[in-house]
Amino acid sequence: MLHLEPTPHGGDAAPGCVDFSTGVSPLPPPEAVLESFRAADVRRYPHPTGLPLRERVAELHGLPPDGVVVGNGSVELIWALARAFAGPGRSAVVLTPAFAEYAQAVRASGATVESLAAEGPPFEWNLEALLAMLRRHTPSLLFVCRPSNPCLAVFPMEAVRAAAEASPGTLVVVDEAYQPLFEGVPPMSPGGNVVVLRSLTKVFALPGLRLGYLLGEPRLLRAVQASLPPWNVSAPALAAGRVALDCLGQVDAVRAEVARLRGAQQALLAEAGARVDASGGTFLLCRVPEARAFASAAVQAGVRVRDCTSLGLPHHIRLGVRLEADHPLLRAAWRRVRELLE
Ligand SMILES: Cc1ncc(COP(=O)(O)O)c(C=O)c1O
């Protein structure tokens, strides 16, 4: 555990640099959510397992409250899943390229990680190869990032179900952190050995709030809850989460506006000579000669992009979608980077 290097992430642009490195919605968070956050009573401990929010989420998804665990960001729940179901002598399979914390959390638990990489672009996983891996390793966990960050591919719902049925001893974790922001990607329902992770930080632009939840069978989620400390979600986050759920009616409008901005950003990149290999939700995945060099040159040109080398894509950078006011800067930066690298 001590030898684990921290995983790189976006979202840490230096002052003066415009941050295109995350997939958080570029639209402002709902004002009512911010108000509820500010009004929360922090003089008392919150409920140890966030029951008032779990009840509200459960109602929304037609589950009992024990079928919901809330986390300090969905990332906390990824780590709790690894603590509960992985561990020494066990293994997990991850569909890659994907969010690096699945592998990190599994390794930290003492278990081993097997990856099945998508072929592409366009990126796609081979279901037969996955089924063979599940037979070979009988992993305790399978992580499916749906849609996947950074390759933006969507592992079909039927394929997830086929994998879950073929390997009943494997807990299949479907991470739908970005699902609300993608068109044509219906959410998966939890059940049996499939659990579903949701984040409230992406679609409502609240990454600093830290709030996500896990849906699944209570008998499985009991172990996840037991792997978390009490009061893991603060009173302001619980209060804001309840109001955010009341704002779910705004998600269609957010998704449509993000799609419009993404289209505009993609057109501008094409004009600047960029090759966009995949796009969806709040992301554009661009092919570049060498991602590491490109990302450093981009900082010099005033923008922070996500170098995907650590995610297994050394020739790709990932861009978040931003408001139109930032688009001219991106076009200028793209041209500047090409000059710097020539
Ligand atoms: C695919 C995916 N899942 C989960 C997370 C964690 O998000 P949060 O902890 O803010 O809910 C991220 C963050 O970047 C992500 O990319």
Side-chain angles (χ1 to χ4, degrees), residues 36-335:
S36 62
F37 179 85
R38 291 187 199 110
D41 184 357
V42 292
R43 292 166 305 175
R44 301 167 49 139
Y45 275 92
H47 185 280
T49 67
L51 184 62
L53 180 61
R54 285 173 40 226
E55 284 175 341
R56 182 76 185 86
V57 174
E59 196 185 310
L60 203 73
H61 290 276
L63 294 169
D66 287 350
V68 181
V69 178
V70 290
N72 188 23
S74 56
V75 74
E76 184 182 42
L77 299 168
I78 292 168
W79 279 71
L81 279 158
R83 280 195 296 274
F85 293 99
R90 296 187 174 182
S91 70
V93 170
V94 180
L95 296 192
T96 59
F99 188 45
E101 294 299 322
Y102 313 134
Q104 186 80 346
V106 167
R107 291 200 180 103
S109 79
T112 54
V113 178
E114 308 293 334
S115 303
L116 178 67
E119 282 162 30
F123 295 96
E124 216 175 306
W125 293 275
N126 180 324
L127 176 61
E128 289 311 315
L130 174 61
L131 296 178
M133 262 182 122
L134 294 175
R135 279 194 297 274
R136 194 159 63 247
H137 298 288
T138 52
S140 0
L141 288 163
L142 164 64
F143 284 97
V144 180
C145 189
R146 188 177 177 278
S148 189
N149 161 27
C151 71
L152 313 180
V154 182
F155 197 51
M157 214 181 252
E158 313 75 62
V160 176
R161 292 216 183 93
E165 274 169 31
S167 195
T170 300
L171 183 65
V172 180
V173 181
V174 183
D175 179 354
E176 295 194 336
Y178 293 100
Q179 177 275 333
L181 289 156
F182 278 67
E183 298 105 71
V185 182
M188 282 220 52
S189 303
N193 56 334
V194 177
V195 294
V196 177
L197 256 181
R198 291 286 162 82
S199 172
L200 287 171
T201 71
K202 317 289 184 194
V203 68
F204 289 128
L206 297 161
L209 180 70
R210 314 304 308 124
L211 191 58
Y213 58 85
L214 180 70
L215 307 171
E217 296 274 350
R219 74 190 156 87
L220 297 168
L221 265 53
R222 213 166 288 133
V224 181
Q225 188 70 68
S227 304
L228 288 165
W231 319 295
N232 61 319
V233 179
S234 70
L238 288 177
R242 280 165 63 93
V243 177
L245 295 176
D246 293 339
C247 297
L248 286 176
Q250 298 174 22
V251 166
D252 287 352
V254 171
R255 187 191 308 115
E257 178 59 3
V258 165
R260 191 188 69 76
L261 290 166
R262 188 181 64 241
Q265 201 168 303
Q266 186 160 350
L268 157 157
L269 285 166
E271 271 171 42
R275 173 173 146 189
V276 178
D277 270 352
S279 71
T282 39
F283 292 118
L284 295 157
L285 185 71
C286 301
R287 171 111 192 162
V288 293
E290 217 261 298
R292 197 162 284 154
F294 192 98
S296 333
V299 170
Q300 287 181 56
V303 301
R304 166 87 162 91
V305 304
R306 175 69 159 99
D307 162 13
C308 294
T309 305
S310 67
L311 300 169
L313 298 175
H315 302 293
H316 285 89
I317 55 125
R318 194 196 64 196
L319 294 173
V321 169
R322 290 194 59 112
L323 296 178
E324 264 144 344
D326 295 323
H327 290 189
L329 175 69
L330 180 62
R331 181 176 28 218
W334 197 277
R335 293 198 171 127

